[in-house]
Amino acid sequence: MAYDDSNIFAKILRGEIPCKKVYEDDFALAFHDIRPLAPVHVLVIPKGPYVSLEDMSMKAPPAFVGGFFKAVAETARVLNVVESGYRILANIGTDAHQEVMHFHVHLFAGRPLGGMLKRVD
């Protein structure tokens, strides 16, 4: 799938749409989700035109990929949720219900989050 630079996250990166920023560095921008699913719900997006983790891992230099995931960890530190715990989630592709075709990681925290998925027996 080709990257569409008119997606909402591309517009946020360009400053065309405001966000409630949590953290930013050369690799990523982290901001509060406008429809949170937990007391802490932050999105971390790479500063590059990547549709998915597959796309980013194939096209970005290894230092960028590592820098992005370090930014995810730094976001958790800034939010002061490392000790209590947090969950990261990336929906990639249609089966995973990816809504915005710009790779992003959700960071959830602030309460017990329960199990991951229901077991399929």
Side-chain angles (χ1 to χ4, degrees):
M1 170 180 286
Y3 183 81
D4 177 2
D5 68 358
S6 68
N7 75 69
I8 190 168
F9 293 162
K11 291 177 180 180
I12 289 170
L13 283 172
R14 290 192 301 266
E16 296 170 8
I17 296 175
C19 68
K20 188 175 173 190
K21 182 169 51 171
V22 173
Y23 177 77
E24 183 174 18
D25 65 14
D26 291 341
F27 305 102
L29 172 65
F31 53 92
H32 289 278
D33 193 293
I34 61 171
R35 290 186 296 259
L37 299 176
V40 175
H41 184 174
V42 168
L43 300 172
V44 186
I45 63 174
K47 288 186 169 181
Y50 306 112
V51 173
S52 65
L53 179 59
E54 172 68 13
D55 187 32
M56 188 171 77
S57 72
M58 296 298 289
K59 294 178 183 172
F64 184 91
V65 176
F68 173 76
F69 283 102
K70 283 188 70 127
V72 173
E74 183 60 27
T75 299
R77 288 189 283 278
V78 167
L79 292 166
N80 198 30
V81 298
V82 172
E83 192 170 319
S84 59
Y86 62 97
R87 175 175 295 156
I88 59 172
L89 172 90
N91 298 318
I92 299 168
T94 55
D95 280 357
H97 197 65
Q98 183 178 0
E99 294 178 358
V100 178
M101 296 301 136
H102 181 113
F103 177 57
H104 56 286
V105 171
H106 296 258
L107 189 153
F108 302 102
R111 66 170 168 78
L113 297 170
M116 278 292 292
L117 298 171
K118 291 183 180 180
R119 183 173 305 277
V120 176
D121 294 323

